[in-house]
Amino acid sequence: MLHLHLTAIIVAVILFIAVYGMYKKNNTRDNKAAFITHMVLRVFYLIVLFSGLMVYVGNMEGISNSGGHMTYGIKVLLGILTIGFMEMAIVRLKKNSAKATVLMVICLAVIIATVIMGATLPLGMLSF
Ligand code: HEM
């Protein structure tokens, strides 16, 4: 499940950059390619969410035994926030809102924080 989580995250981030670039070029209603890519991105949000929850629930016992409730809780919260900010950044750009750049910066910060946290937690590739 962790492999699915990681693969889905990588695909989602690539799609996010693609959708962002496409709407940046043309954010009118007739940008069908951007609309379809955005829909595919939304499917990947669900895969990231589902696989993350499965890893969390599947390792509940180990998490309890290691006393890692708090850190895992924060990881899950950061993950959900990341998905929320990714979607908000795109929708604001699509609507030509002045807040689009601010949201993009917040979004990048939460993505980086979530990746660092996930990778350094016990199951992550960077944990010791
Ligand atoms: C776009 C949002 C997300 C990003 C960028 C992200 C990033 C990561 C990364 C990089 C890892 C480490 C994977 C590895 O090293 O093999 C990870 C692990 C994990 N993620 Fe996420 N994640 C996101 C969303 C979520 C969500 C929504 C949940 C839960 C609902 C979640 C729960 C977990 C759990 C439980 C782990 C295992 C932690 C460990 O290493 O022990 N993640 N995540």
Side-chain angles (χ1 to χ4, degrees):
M1 237 350 136
L2 197 57
H3 279 133
L4 178 64
H5 191 58
L6 199 56
T7 313
I9 288 157
I10 293 168
V11 176
V13 169
I14 294 171
L15 284 175
F16 174 73
I17 296 167
V19 176
Y20 202 86
M22 283 158 130
Y23 275 133
K24 193 103 194 159
K25 261 195 193 154
N26 169 12
N27 65 356
T28 57
R29 272 181 170 270
D30 40 61
N31 193 347
K32 286 268 184 305
F35 182 78
I36 293 166
T37 320
H38 191 184
M39 283 303 173
V40 179
L41 172 62
R42 283 172 171 156
V43 174
F44 274 89
Y45 288 155
L46 292 180
I47 302 174
V48 171
L49 195 70
F50 170 76
S51 57
L53 276 178
M54 290 302 280
V55 175
Y56 185 61
V57 173
N59 292 286
M60 214 46 125
E61 209 165 312
I63 293 169
S64 287
N65 292 340
S66 69
H69 271 308
M70 179 84 165
T71 36
Y72 269 87
I74 296 172
K75 168 67 187 65
V76 169
L77 202 67
L78 269 179
I80 295 168
L81 273 179
T82 308
I83 295 175
F85 276 113
M86 283 164 89
E87 181 62 16
M88 279 193 276
I90 288 179
V91 171
R92 288 285 174 160
L93 176 70
K94 205 173 154 181
K95 289 186 177 165
N96 238 342
S97 157
K99 288 201 184 110
T101 318
V102 180
L103 273 167
M104 185 60 178
V105 174
I106 299 175
C107 183
L108 287 179
V110 277
I111 291 179
I112 293 168
T114 315
V115 169
I116 292 175
M117 186 145 192
T120 50
L121 271 170
L123 299 173
M125 61 217 158
L126 296 180
S127 81
F128 304 103

